[in-house]
Amino acid sequence: MCSRQASKLLEDLNAAQQKAVQIIDGPVLVLAGPGSGKTRVLTHRVAYLIREAGIDPGHILAVTFTNKAAREMKERLHALIGADHAADLTIGTFHKVCARFLRRDVIHLGRERDFVIYDSDDQERLMRRVLKDLNLNEKQYPPRAIHSAISSAKNELVSAAEYARLNRASYYDEIVARCYERYQALLHESNAFDFDDLLFETVRLFQQHPPVLAKYQERYRYVLVDEYQDTNRAQYVLIKQLAAQRRNLFVVGDNDQSIYAWRGADIRNILHFEEDYPDAQVILLEQNYRSTQSILDVAQAVINAGGQQKHVKQLWTENGVGVQVSLHEGYDQNDEAQWVVDEIAHLVLQGDYRLGDMAVMYRTNAQSRAVEEALMARGLRYQIIGGMRFYERKEIKDVLAYLRVIHNPCDNVSLARIFNVPARGIGGRTEEALYRWASELGVPVYQALQVLAGPDRTTARSVTDADGMTTDPVSPPQSPFNARTRATLLAFLEFIDSLITAREQLDLVGLVDTILERTHFRAALQHEYGPDEGEERWRNVQELREVAADYIYLQREAQLVTFLEEVALVADVDTLDEQQDVVTCITLHQAKGLEFPVVFLIGLEEGLLPHSRSMDEKDKLEEERRLFYVGATRARERLYLLYAFRRTSFGRTSVSSPSRFLASIPQELIKPAMKRPIVSVPPQSYSAAQRKVSRFARNDTSRFARNDTVVSNESERPSTVRFLPGQAVRHHMFGEGIVMSSKIVEGDEEVTVNFAKKGQKRLLANFANLERIEP
DNA sequence: GGCTCGATCTTTTTT
DNA sequence: AGATCGAGCC
């Protein structure tokens, strides 16, 4: 058994990891603390199954939550077992795997296999349509709220009919039930699935068609699931279905890192694994290979302060104590960001780290703004994960909408998107009339346009209805359009059809180019947004074209559908670039699964972490705590904790207090004060600073004591600064201002000045010709 | 049908 | 504070 290969697969693993890797059959639960080598266990186990147990790679299915995690597994397996074997494995996200199953077998559910996938924007648009159809007011019934109720229902595997049956308590539920039903009908008409449908419909397919399920059970004899604590009901059932026959189910997770309850993840799935599978073997991975003991102690202190759960892990490491975790209070979010950026610059200048080693993590995307501004002002390269997603930009979605319509003209949402992009005189009223007319006919809008064109027209693509019958265009109801509108609509139809025809001769990039040329896309962007923003948006479109170029090596028919599917299912974190030497700014949620030598956790304040909307319920509060835990355990060597004294949100500024989670960290784990001659309080803020000092004096939280107004006596960096904080200065262009801080950077003195008229600037004293003046 | 202005909302986290 | 949306105007 212990061949040379096996020993090679096992030699770098600790005892617990080895045990996990070597169990071939039966259910296994691996509880893996952060940094305990969970991905390594997953990949080595797959390799072990193939190499040592002789399992055909085609029989192995590994499911993850992000494409990034899937990609990582694939790459590592590629290295472990070689390209040929790796290519036969099925590794993908839940959504991707389900989409693949549905492409193959959705016909059993009476649906077409060339379905499109609606993202959240499409979903919202469709929901707006639903509300209009049902004569409901968007103000009273916000589309997103309704959709979120439906989404939760789908995650719980509750169908529209069941929802109506189960939720009769309130009028609101009644409304949701009606919307749910209509929403599904419209999805069906557009031959579309939303994200939740991919899971739900796959489960339904397996439930209603046992032979189909049996086929997949026979194929996937070994099932592995990553981040099992994040599974929702639908995912849980899906996995249960697949593993029901062979029961070779290997799940890896960490209840302490469960942070997705808000989107339906049910922590009970992992907590009750042993009840679902009484013969399960449970393995704890507690040795951490990532962080220093200092970092682990802080993380552990916070997580242990919460209500204790099942499966308590005690993390330990051989990495040594390392640098103490430090805590800093910024004056406001800008000062907080400034401090972070200063420290980043400091670490880089000292030569200890590269920009790419560092990450700034926060609870809400909005917090990235101050950080971005500070990084930009300092000229440090960075990437922001999330926020406005690339694939959600209007110009990108417009191009994608063309591609989707070409692929599936029944897609009403995409068709509606491009009616008037570029402007061609099909406005809201025409669109509405067309939609209503199509509803009357009971066909997708595209088909209604064909009817409008008359029976003689040669169609580029014949569309069949759900019964598989070509719709009879003999006696259409009178169309509501005058001659001019009709002509406009028919020109549009002809345009779409010509693109559909063009597709046959072109590869994906050719098709994109054709769309862009024939819509005069660039000119339209310039016209709409002006030369600067227009060009910027055009560059985004070019970037999309670059992405499309990756697909032209596929078979021509597969290019478009594969592209559309992958584009629909990318997550922000999938776009994270680890190769580039840039600072990463990322939300705590997205940071799960990542690691960085240096991590800054910012905004550790009541109301942000824990978030104000998650403070009142115990369960939600505990999830916030785990969020802190996830963030802290991303750090390998240095962890910085920050909060701001006051913060502006929604245009309102208010005083905030440090997160309660900080209070559960023993004082001795925290480095008492920062010793860097950078941070200062401008004179005009003294009153605020004093208030703050008195507040801490009153509360006797001495470890929060700040040294803002003190220029430290750090010794290794002899200070020859000529400008001290508070000094009034004049600049030939910026006018008069107050020095905020100053320090020596590479032989020059870098002075930060707050100019009365021009705001804060960062200047090099040798070049700036700053003049001292008396205030 | 497209424009400007003011009212209103945003910010929890996402496949 | 900034973006988005709607009403009212051209």
Side-chain angles (χ1 to χ4, degrees):
Chain A
M1 180 78 172
C2 209
S3 70
R4 236 176 65 230
Q5 286 178 339
S7 61
K8 200 178 161 206
L9 278 174
L10 298 172
E11 70 187 4
D12 296 337
L13 304 176
N14 66 35
Q17 290 172 330
Q18 285 184 5
K19 189 175 166 207
V21 166
Q22 287 176 290
I23 301 170
I24 307 290
D25 294 310
V28 182
L29 166 64
V30 177
L31 291 156
S36 62
K38 140 194 101 110
T39 308
R40 178 163 244 232
V41 166
L42 276 169
T43 50
H44 282 241
R45 173 180 154 88
V46 171
Y48 194 87
L49 286 176
I50 295 166
R51 285 272 188 78
E52 298 306 313
I55 310 295
D56 184 329
H59 287 317
I60 299 173
L61 168 69
V63 193
T64 63
F65 275 83
T66 64
N67 292 302
K68 184 173 179 297
R71 205 188 315 137
E72 238 168 64
M73 269 187 81
K74 276 184 211 158
E75 279 163 12
R76 291 211 208 173
L77 277 161
H78 193 108
L80 280 175
I81 59 172
D84 291 348
H85 277 154
D88 293 338
L89 293 163
T90 303
I91 303 177
T93 64
F94 273 100
H95 290 85
K96 183 76 127 294
V97 166
C98 286
R100 187 186 289 194
F101 293 172
L102 290 174
R103 290 268 178 234
R104 203 171 295 139
D105 287 302
V106 77
I107 197 78
H108 296 289
L109 293 174
R111 300 285 300 261
E112 309 266 340
R113 60 185 308 178
D114 55 353
F115 60 84
V116 292
I117 299 166
Y118 277 180
D119 67 18
S120 36
D121 181 68
D122 304 317
Q123 292 164 25
E124 195 179 325
R125 280 165 184 262
L126 190 65
M127 190 51 69
R128 289 225 154 87
R129 187 72 252 169
V130 166
L131 293 172
K132 257 189 204 160
D133 285 359
L134 298 180
N135 261 321
L136 295 166
N137 183 348
E138 281 192 12
K139 288 275 145 59
Q140 202 175 353
Y141 302 103
R144 291 165 96 187
I146 304 278
H147 181 262
S148 131
I150 293 173
S151 174
S152 308
K154 286 183 180 178
N155 287 333
E156 296 283 316
L157 296 176
V158 174
S159 69
E162 284 168 320
Y163 191 96
R165 195 160 46 79
L166 296 171
N167 296 281
R168 293 174 171 168
S170 73
Y171 185 57
Y172 187 81
D173 285 337
E174 163 74 25
I175 295 293
V176 172
R178 281 187 224 167
C179 291
Y180 191 174
E181 198 196 338
R182 181 76 189 154
Y183 179 76
Q184 290 309 110
L186 292 188
L187 278 172
H188 192 171
E189 185 184 62
S190 286
N191 193 18
F193 289 116
D194 68 11
F195 289 146
D196 306 312
D197 283 341
L198 293 176
L199 304 171
F200 184 47
E201 295 294 318
T202 304
V203 169
R204 207 161 63 91
L205 171 71
F206 288 166
Q207 268 168 359
Q208 297 180 357
H209 300 274
V212 177
L213 174 60
K215 180 176 81 180
Y216 287 102
Q217 285 172 335
E218 188 53 25
R219 161 110 203 239
Y220 296 118
R221 301 176 185 183
Y222 291 85
V223 178
L224 298 91
V225 186
D226 192 14
E227 307 277 17
Y228 192 69
Q229 78 283 355
D230 287 337
T231 50
N232 61 31
R233 176 88 196 154
Q235 288 157 337
Y236 167 81
V237 170
L238 180 81
I239 292 301
K240 204 169 181 178
Q241 289 174 322
L242 282 171
Q245 278 306 314
R246 305 261 173 178
R247 298 171 53 80
N248 298 322
L249 176 58
F250 187 92
V251 307
V252 181
D254 179 4
N255 41 307
D256 286 335
Q257 292 185 70
S258 158
I259 54 174
Y260 283 108
W262 54 273
R263 69 171 194 207
D266 191 340
I267 198 166
R268 287 175 303 184
N269 292 346
I270 194 164
L271 295 177
H272 295 173
F273 188 84
E274 294 152 272
E275 287 149 47
D276 291 336
Y277 303 92
D279 52 334
Q281 306 206 44
V282 180
I283 294 167
L284 257 67
L285 301 183
E286 295 180 301
Q287 181 174 2
N288 175 296
Y289 295 94
R290 178 186 296 153
S291 309
T292 64
Q293 192 65 50
S294 294
I295 291 165
L296 289 185
D297 285 346
V298 166
Q300 201 90 29
V302 172
I303 201 77
N304 287 345
Q308 278 305 332
Q309 306 251 6
K310 195 175 168 182
H311 297 312
V312 180
K313 295 180 297 305
Q314 189 60 47
L315 294 181
W316 60 279
T317 185
E318 289 173 350
N319 289 347
V321 178
V323 180
Q324 247 186 333
V325 174
S326 65
L327 178 72
H328 179 78
E329 175 181 287
Y331 172 62
D332 57 15
Q333 67 262 48
N334 296 323
D335 184 48
E336 177 187 55
Q338 191 62 54
W339 194 93
V340 168
V341 170
D342 282 337
E343 182 68 12
I344 289 172
H346 179 71
L347 291 173
V348 171
L349 285 173
Q350 282 201 329
D352 295 341
Y353 296 96
R354 319 152 56 223
L355 291 178
D357 290 333
M358 295 183 267
V360 183
M361 300 179 186
Y362 35 78
R363 177 67 226 271
T364 68
N365 278 305
Q367 290 169 258
S368 67
R369 188 165 194 143
V371 179
E372 175 169 28
E373 280 170 9
L375 285 164
M376 209 185 317
R378 190 57 178 265
L380 299 178
R381 305 198 351 110
Y382 61 91
Q383 60 181 336
I384 292 185
I385 310 300
M388 185 59 178
R389 281 176 214 117
F390 180 73
Y391 291 107
E392 279 175 14
R393 288 166 204 267
K394 183 176 179 299
E395 63 274 19
I396 299 300
K397 287 229 66 176
D398 287 344
V399 178
L400 289 175
Y402 271 99
L403 290 169
R404 284 208 212 167
V405 167
I406 290 166
H407 171 66
N408 167 24
C410 297
D411 178 349
N412 280 349
V413 172
S414 297
L415 196 69
R417 240 199 123 90
I418 58 176
F419 273 143
N420 219 22
V421 176
R424 51 169 76 83
I426 306 179
R429 241 167 271 170
T430 306
E431 183 190 331
E432 193 62 27
L434 179 59
Y435 179 81
R436 297 217 175 261
W437 188 55
S439 292
E440 251 175 72
L441 291 171
V443 297
V445 171
Y446 174 76
Q447 223 170 323
L449 286 170
Q450 289 186 317
V451 174
L452 188 66
D456 299 334
R457 209 178 125 272
T458 50
T459 52
R461 182 180 194 278
S462 73
V463 176
T464 53
D465 63 24
D467 303 325
M469 302 286 289
T470 306
T471 304
D472 178 20
V474 170
S475 55
Q478 191 62 41
S479 93
F481 306 110
N482 61 35
R484 196 177 134 198
T485 310
R486 183 169 180 271
T488 310
L489 288 173
L490 291 183
F492 175 70
L493 174 64
E494 211 163 294
F495 181 55
I496 296 299
D497 281 344
S498 71
L499 290 175
I500 292 172
T501 310
R503 176 194 177 180
E504 282 152 27
Q505 272 89 56
L506 297 165
D507 66 15
L508 185 58
V509 173
L511 186 60
V512 170
D513 285 339
T514 303
I515 293 167
L516 297 178
E517 278 163 32
R518 297 195 52 193
T519 53
H520 309 290
F521 210 84
R522 187 177 190 176
L525 286 176
Q526 302 273 3
H527 176 74
E528 192 170 350
Y529 299 105
D532 292 347
E533 198 184 335
E535 201 52 30
E536 154 122 37
R537 286 178 187 254
W538 175 246
R539 277 198 297 276
N540 290 334
V541 173
Q542 291 303 300
E543 209 175 314
L544 182 71
R545 187 182 176 278
E546 296 297 306
V547 177
D550 292 340
Y551 293 80
I552 61 173
Y553 305 103
L554 299 175
Q555 258 191 314
R556 183 162 291 178
E557 307 82 69
Q559 291 176 12
L560 184 54
V561 61
T562 311
F563 173 72
L564 288 176
E565 182 169 305
E566 293 196 2
V567 151
L569 295 177
V570 288
D572 291 322
V573 72
D574 298 332
T575 66
L576 182 119
D577 189 341
E578 282 152 329
Q579 307 308 314
Q580 274 193 84
D581 183 22
V582 301
V583 178
T584 299
C585 304
I586 191 168
T587 64
L588 289 166
H589 281 91
Q590 299 196 100
K592 186 153 65 92
L594 306 179
E595 61 174 40
F596 298 88
V598 182
V599 169
F600 297 87
L601 297 187
I602 68 170
L604 300 176
E605 293 147 43
E606 288 293 293
L608 266 180
L609 190 74
H611 195 271
S612 53
R613 298 169 80 142
S614 304
M615 291 200 307
D616 302 330
E617 287 168 52
K618 177 85 169 113
D619 289 353
K620 289 185 173 179
L621 181 71
E622 289 311 305
E623 183 153 315
E624 300 288 305
R625 185 188 302 283
R626 295 193 291 269
L627 215 37
F628 180 101
Y629 180 74
V630 167
T633 53
R634 299 309 95 199
R636 287 223 291 258
E637 296 162 13
R638 286 172 192 257
L639 175 63
Y640 296 89
L641 308 175
L642 289 102
Y643 60 96
F645 163 64
R646 44 182 271 169
R647 184 171 295 273
T648 306
S649 53
F650 299 133
R652 269 230 181 81
T653 302
S654 53
V655 173
S656 45
S657 44
S659 167
R660 67 188 75 184
F661 300 143
L662 293 174
S664 41
I665 304 172
Q667 201 166 321
E668 61 271 18
L669 294 180
I670 298 283
K671 196 190 283 186
M674 294 289 95
K675 290 185 183 171
R676 282 196 303 108
I678 286 174
V679 181
S680 65
V681 174
Q684 61 267 35
S685 306
Y686 272 170
S687 61
Q690 274 153 14
R691 258 190 10 251
K692 172 169 35 184
V693 167
S694 65
R695 181 170 62 123
F696 285 126
R698 201 168 52 245
N699 295 346
D700 186 36
T701 49
S702 54
R703 67 202 162 84
F704 291 146
R706 44 189 287 124
N707 64 343
D708 273 352
T709 54
V710 181
V711 174
S712 99
N713 53 357
E714 191 183 41
S715 54
E716 70 269 20
R717 200 169 270 279
S719 172
T720 58
V721 291
R722 287 183 293 138
F723 298 94
L724 289 172
Q727 169 73 50
V729 293
R730 185 182 291 125
H731 182 269
H732 66 286
M733 278 177 68
F734 300 143
E736 293 183 6
I738 305 288
V739 172
M740 312 273 297
S741 66
S742 182
K743 62 178 172 174
I744 303 300
V745 176
E746 290 173 324
D748 200 344
E749 182 176 359
E750 188 184 61
V751 192
T752 304
V753 183
N754 198 7
F755 289 103
K757 299 219 170 78
K758 299 282 178 182
Q760 194 156 309
K761 301 277 179 203
R762 199 170 275 275
L763 306 161
L764 288 178
N766 287 350
F767 292 98
N769 274 328
L770 274 184
E771 205 184 319
R772 295 191 214 204
I773 55 174
E774 289 305 308

PDB file of all heavy atoms in Angstrom, chain A residues 717-731:
ATOM      1  N   ARG A 717      15.305  55.868  12.933  1.00  0.00           N
ATOM      2  CA  ARG A 717      15.096  56.728  11.780  1.00  0.00           C
ATOM      3  C   ARG A 717      15.342  58.175  12.200  1.00  0.00           C
ATOM      4  O   ARG A 717      14.411  58.895  12.532  1.00  0.00           O
ATOM      5  CB  ARG A 717      13.656  56.556  11.296  1.00  0.00           C
ATOM      6  CG  ARG A 717      13.426  56.997   9.885  1.00  0.00           C
ATOM      7  CD  ARG A 717      12.078  56.541   9.408  1.00  0.00           C
ATOM      8  NE  ARG A 717      12.149  55.237   8.796  1.00  0.00           N
ATOM      9  CZ  ARG A 717      12.542  55.050   7.543  1.00  0.00           C
ATOM     10  NH1 ARG A 717      12.886  56.065   6.809  1.00  0.00           N
ATOM     11  NH2 ARG A 717      12.585  53.844   7.045  1.00  0.00           N
ATOM     12  N   PRO A 718      16.597  58.576  12.223  1.00  0.00           N
ATOM     13  CA  PRO A 718      16.911  59.916  12.734  1.00  0.00           C
ATOM     14  C   PRO A 718      16.120  60.971  11.983  1.00  0.00           C
ATOM     15  O   PRO A 718      16.148  61.012  10.762  1.00  0.00           O
ATOM     16  CB  PRO A 718      18.421  60.054  12.489  1.00  0.00           C
ATOM     17  CG  PRO A 718      18.730  59.052  11.437  1.00  0.00           C
ATOM     18  CD  PRO A 718      17.777  57.930  11.639  1.00  0.00           C
ATOM     19  N   SER A 719      15.425  61.767  12.733  1.00  0.00           N
ATOM     20  CA  SER A 719      14.510  62.693  12.104  1.00  0.00           C
ATOM     21  C   SER A 719      15.175  64.042  11.856  1.00  0.00           C
ATOM     22  O   SER A 719      15.720  64.661  12.762  1.00  0.00           O
ATOM     23  CB  SER A 719      13.287  62.874  13.007  1.00  0.00           C
ATOM     24  OG  SER A 719      12.484  63.899  12.495  1.00  0.00           O
ATOM     25  N   THR A 720      15.170  64.450  10.615  1.00  0.00           N
ATOM     26  CA  THR A 720      15.668  65.782  10.297  1.00  0.00           C
ATOM     27  C   THR A 720      14.547  66.611   9.698  1.00  0.00           C
ATOM     28  O   THR A 720      14.754  67.431   8.840  1.00  0.00           O
ATOM     29  CB  THR A 720      16.826  65.714   9.299  1.00  0.00           C
ATOM     30  OG1 THR A 720      16.346  65.040   8.125  1.00  0.00           O
ATOM     31  CG2 THR A 720      18.012  64.962   9.855  1.00  0.00           C
ATOM     32  N   VAL A 721      13.329  66.293  10.131  1.00  0.00           N
ATOM     33  CA  VAL A 721      12.194  66.998   9.541  1.00  0.00           C
ATOM     34  C   VAL A 721      12.267  68.485   9.884  1.00  0.00           C
ATOM     35  O   VAL A 721      12.629  68.865  10.995  1.00  0.00           O
ATOM     36  CB  VAL A 721      10.845  66.426  10.019  1.00  0.00           C
ATOM     37  CG1 VAL A 721      10.630  65.054   9.468  1.00  0.00           C
ATOM     38  CG2 VAL A 721      10.766  66.405  11.522  1.00  0.00           C
ATOM     39  N   ARG A 722      11.945  69.281   8.901  1.00  0.00           N
ATOM     40  CA  ARG A 722      11.938  70.725   9.119  1.00  0.00           C
ATOM     41  C   ARG A 722      10.529  71.225   9.445  1.00  0.00           C
ATOM     42  O   ARG A 722      10.331  72.297   9.944  1.00  0.00           O
ATOM     43  CB  ARG A 722      12.452  71.456   7.874  1.00  0.00           C
ATOM     44  CG  ARG A 722      13.954  71.311   7.666  1.00  0.00           C
ATOM     45  CD  ARG A 722      14.391  72.106   6.461  1.00  0.00           C
ATOM     46  NE  ARG A 722      13.843  71.553   5.232  1.00  0.00           N
ATOM     47  CZ  ARG A 722      13.357  72.308   4.253  1.00  0.00           C
ATOM     48  NH1 ARG A 722      13.338  73.610   4.354  1.00  0.00           N
ATOM     49  NH2 ARG A 722      12.889  71.729   3.167  1.00  0.00           N
ATOM     50  N   PHE A 723       9.541  70.400   9.083  1.00  0.00           N
ATOM     51  CA  PHE A 723       8.156  70.823   9.296  1.00  0.00           C
ATOM     52  C   PHE A 723       7.501  69.938  10.340  1.00  0.00           C
ATOM     53  O   PHE A 723       7.552  68.709  10.228  1.00  0.00           O
ATOM     54  CB  PHE A 723       7.361  70.751   7.992  1.00  0.00           C
ATOM     55  CG  PHE A 723       7.902  71.675   6.936  1.00  0.00           C
ATOM     56  CD1 PHE A 723       8.823  71.216   6.004  1.00  0.00           C
ATOM     57  CD2 PHE A 723       7.505  73.008   6.889  1.00  0.00           C
ATOM     58  CE1 PHE A 723       9.322  72.066   5.037  1.00  0.00           C
ATOM     59  CE2 PHE A 723       8.013  73.858   5.919  1.00  0.00           C
ATOM     60  CZ  PHE A 723       8.919  73.395   4.987  1.00  0.00           C
ATOM     61  N   LEU A 724       6.910  70.527  11.313  1.00  0.00           N
ATOM     62  CA  LEU A 724       6.236  69.771  12.347  1.00  0.00           C
ATOM     63  C   LEU A 724       4.728  69.943  12.203  1.00  0.00           C
ATOM     64  O   LEU A 724       4.267  70.974  11.696  1.00  0.00           O
ATOM     65  CB  LEU A 724       6.669  70.254  13.730  1.00  0.00           C
ATOM     66  CG  LEU A 724       8.103  69.881  14.111  1.00  0.00           C
ATOM     67  CD1 LEU A 724       8.507  70.571  15.393  1.00  0.00           C
ATOM     68  CD2 LEU A 724       8.226  68.366  14.246  1.00  0.00           C
ATOM     69  N   PRO A 725       3.977  68.963  12.652  1.00  0.00           N
ATOM     70  CA  PRO A 725       2.518  69.093  12.586  1.00  0.00           C
ATOM     71  C   PRO A 725       2.054  70.389  13.252  1.00  0.00           C
ATOM     72  O   PRO A 725       2.553  70.762  14.314  1.00  0.00           O
ATOM     73  CB  PRO A 725       2.026  67.876  13.354  1.00  0.00           C
ATOM     74  CG  PRO A 725       3.119  66.880  13.213  1.00  0.00           C
ATOM     75  CD  PRO A 725       4.390  67.669  13.175  1.00  0.00           C
ATOM     76  N   GLY A 726       1.136  71.056  12.619  1.00  0.00           N
ATOM     77  CA  GLY A 726       0.617  72.298  13.189  1.00  0.00           C
ATOM     78  C   GLY A 726       1.280  73.535  12.619  1.00  0.00           C
ATOM     79  O   GLY A 726       0.726  74.633  12.703  1.00  0.00           O
ATOM     80  N   GLN A 727       2.443  73.343  12.004  1.00  0.00           N
ATOM     81  CA  GLN A 727       3.143  74.471  11.398  1.00  0.00           C
ATOM     82  C   GLN A 727       2.329  75.055  10.237  1.00  0.00           C
ATOM     83  O   GLN A 727       1.841  74.319   9.380  1.00  0.00           O
ATOM     84  CB  GLN A 727       4.505  73.976  10.884  1.00  0.00           C
ATOM     85  CG  GLN A 727       5.256  74.946  10.002  1.00  0.00           C
ATOM     86  CD  GLN A 727       5.823  76.112  10.799  1.00  0.00           C
ATOM     87  OE1 GLN A 727       6.471  75.909  11.824  1.00  0.00           O
ATOM     88  NE2 GLN A 727       5.545  77.326  10.355  1.00  0.00           N
ATOM     89  N   ALA A 728       2.196  76.372  10.218  1.00  0.00           N
ATOM     90  CA  ALA A 728       1.514  77.017   9.093  1.00  0.00           C
ATOM     91  C   ALA A 728       2.518  77.247   7.966  1.00  0.00           C
ATOM     92  O   ALA A 728       3.669  77.623   8.223  1.00  0.00           O
ATOM     93  CB  ALA A 728       0.908  78.340   9.535  1.00  0.00           C
ATOM     94  N   VAL A 729       2.097  76.973   6.740  1.00  0.00           N
ATOM     95  CA  VAL A 729       3.007  77.100   5.596  1.00  0.00           C
ATOM     96  C   VAL A 729       2.307  77.755   4.407  1.00  0.00           C
ATOM     97  O   VAL A 729       1.067  77.848   4.364  1.00  0.00           O
ATOM     98  CB  VAL A 729       3.530  75.709   5.146  1.00  0.00           C
ATOM     99  CG1 VAL A 729       4.433  75.108   6.212  1.00  0.00           C
ATOM    100  CG2 VAL A 729       2.365  74.783   4.821  1.00  0.00           C
ATOM    101  N   ARG A 730       3.121  78.212   3.463  1.00  0.00           N
ATOM    102  CA  ARG A 730       2.553  78.760   2.226  1.00  0.00           C
ATOM    103  C   ARG A 730       3.208  78.068   1.038  1.00  0.00           C
ATOM    104  O   ARG A 730       4.412  77.777   1.040  1.00  0.00           O
ATOM    105  CB  ARG A 730       2.805  80.266   2.162  1.00  0.00           C
ATOM    106  CG  ARG A 730       2.136  80.920   0.953  1.00  0.00           C
ATOM    107  CD  ARG A 730       2.429  82.419   0.875  1.00  0.00           C
ATOM    108  NE  ARG A 730       1.788  83.159   1.939  1.00  0.00           N
ATOM    109  CZ  ARG A 730       2.445  83.963   2.789  1.00  0.00           C
ATOM    110  NH1 ARG A 730       3.750  84.102   2.697  1.00  0.00           N
ATOM    111  NH2 ARG A 730       1.797  84.619   3.731  1.00  0.00           N
ATOM    112  N   HIS A 731       2.401  77.801   0.009  1.00  0.00           N
ATOM    113  CA  HIS A 731       2.892  77.182  -1.211  1.00  0.00           C
ATOM    114  C   HIS A 731       2.522  78.082  -2.383  1.00  0.00           C
ATOM    115  O   HIS A 731       1.439  78.686  -2.371  1.00  0.00           O
ATOM    116  CB  HIS A 731       2.261  75.791  -1.374  1.00  0.00           C
ATOM    117  CG  HIS A 731       2.728  75.035  -2.580  1.00  0.00           C
ATOM    118  ND1 HIS A 731       2.077  75.113  -3.787  1.00  0.00           N
ATOM    119  CD2 HIS A 731       3.785  74.189  -2.769  1.00  0.00           C
ATOM    120  CE1 HIS A 731       2.706  74.344  -4.667  1.00  0.00           C
ATOM    121  NE2 HIS A 731       3.747  73.773  -4.064  1.00  0.00           N
TER     122      HIS A 731
END
